[in-house]
Amino acid sequence: QVQLVESGGGLVQAGGSLRLSCAASGRTFSSYAMGWCRQAPGKEREFVASITWSGTRTYYEDFVKGRFTISRDIAKNTVYLQMNSLKPEDTAVYYCAADKDNWLPRTVSEYDYWGQGTQVTVSS
């Protein structure tokens, strides 16, 4: 099992940047693929980015490709999401997630564990 706690959200002007952090606890953290998903008001939760347990491969949804970067530091039990060139449509609650079964999950339904979420608001 793994417990996840996100931080780093906030209010930012369009075009600005934020870095989200996800602190993980649990003995098997290094064996889990990790990802970030988000949910805007009135919309379904959607996949954003994922990273393999080794941290050597990543995948991004098209709407963030070139703007967001996912990374992990296994020694620190932490996953990051660097968000640049933020747009108002990026406004959402961002969730850190862990997957115990899949190498590089690309859908919300694949993830097994979730953090509580952190709010990101991008003003125009």
Side-chain angles (χ1 to χ4, degrees), residues 37-108:
C37 300
R38 69 187 187 185
Q39 187 166 18
K43 297 184 178 180
E44 299 288 335
R45 189 170 298 186
E46 62 182 354
F47 167 78
V48 174
S50 59
I51 187 167
T52 60
W53 68 268
S54 66
T56 60
R57 292 287 297 274
T58 58
Y59 183 83
Y60 300 92
E61 199 61 85
D62 285 343
F63 54 79
V64 303
K65 195 172 296 182
R67 299 189 297 124
F68 291 9
T69 302
I70 187 172
S71 61
R72 70 188 298 169
D73 187 330
I74 296 176
K76 295 182 178 180
N77 292 344
T78 303
V79 181
Y80 305 96
L81 185 68
Q82 178 67 46
M83 305 184 294
N84 299 325
S85 301
L86 283 162
K87 306 174 181 179
E89 51 263 45
D90 293 320
T91 295
V93 176
Y94 282 72
Y95 296 90
C96 179
D99 189 328
K100 64 180 176 63
D101 300 314
N102 301 290
W103 173 63
L104 191 63
R106 301 179 181 183
T107 62
V108 171

